[in-house]
């Protein structure tokens, strides 16, 4: 077995594909070497690359760890409710912990350290 195939068998536990129009979402349960499980959500969009003269897939992945599931689900539910209610919710958006950094702080995060397990 090749190295990638062995790694896929080791760390991919469950996968669910969700097709939604021009996009496909992959929701995967994976495990670290120490058997700790986490979730990845990947959005894949097919587009034509003029330079290559063929279709390619743009992929974007987020990693979710068990300690963040509740907060993520709550935030997602709130955002969906906001959209479904026509943006009429009048409360101010804030983080659950005021000491947390949010996406607008300009922090430079390097995701290269997480490894490259997504292929085109």
């Amino acid at each position: 077995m090749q190295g990638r195939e062995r790694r896929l068998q080791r760390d991919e536990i469950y996968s669910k594909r969700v097709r939604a129009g021009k996009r496909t979402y992959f929701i995967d349960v994976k495990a670290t070497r120490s058997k700790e499980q986490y979730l990845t959500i990947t959005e894949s969009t097919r587009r034509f690359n003029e330079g290559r003269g063929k279709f390619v897939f743009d992929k974007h992945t987020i990693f979710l760890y068990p300690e963040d599931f509740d907060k993520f689900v709550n935030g997602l539910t709130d955002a969906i409710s906001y959209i479904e209610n026509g943006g009429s919710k009048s409360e101010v958006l804030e983080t659950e912990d005021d000491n947390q950094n949010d996406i607008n702080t300009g922090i430079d995060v390097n995701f290269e350290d997480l490894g490259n397990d997504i292929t085109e």
Side-chain angles (χ1 to χ4, degrees), residues 11-51:
D11 68 2
E12 288 187 1
I13 297 168
Y14 173 84
S15 185
K16 174 73 177 174
R17 179 176 55 190
V18 178
R19 292 181 187 226
K22 295 180 179 181
R23 295 177 187 84
T24 301
Y25 299 97
F26 297 93
I27 304 167
D28 301 309
V29 176
K30 297 183 178 187
T32 63
R33 288 185 178 142
S34 61
K35 306 288 186 223
E36 293 179 57
Q37 293 183 356
Y38 62 98
L39 188 69
T40 64
I41 302 172
T42 303
E43 174 199 36
S44 178
T45 306
R46 190 176 102 152
R47 68 171 177 83
F48 189 75
N49 182 310
E50 297 286 336

Side-chain angles (χ1 to χ4, degrees), residues 1-17:
M1 232 186 263
Q2 298 295 331
R4 174 160 168 72
E5 290 172 349
R6 269 183 292 205
R7 187 170 52 86
L8 288 177
Q9 278 188 340
R10 180 190 74 229
D11 68 2
E12 288 187 1
I13 297 168
Y14 173 84
S15 185
K16 174 73 177 174
R17 179 176 55 190

Side-chain angles (χ1 to χ4, degrees), residues 33-97:
R33 288 185 178 142
S34 61
K35 306 288 186 223
E36 293 179 57
Q37 293 183 356
Y38 62 98
L39 188 69
T40 64
I41 302 172
T42 303
E43 174 199 36
S44 178
T45 306
R46 190 176 102 152
R47 68 171 177 83
F48 189 75
N49 182 310
E50 297 286 336
R52 289 181 163 176
K54 64 179 183 174
F55 284 98
V56 295
F57 291 91
D58 288 331
K59 296 181 180 183
H60 303 92
T61 301
I62 61 169
F63 295 77
L64 286 172
Y65 298 91
E67 62 269 19
D68 301 327
F69 288 171
D70 289 338
K71 290 179 182 178
F72 183 85
V73 169
N74 289 339
L76 181 62
T77 301
D78 287 348
I80 290 170
S81 294
Y82 179 84
I83 292 169
E84 288 176 341
N85 292 323
S88 63
K89 199 172 186 180
S90 63
E91 62 186 65
V92 176
L93 297 177
E94 58 187 46
T95 62
E96 199 163 308
D97 178 358

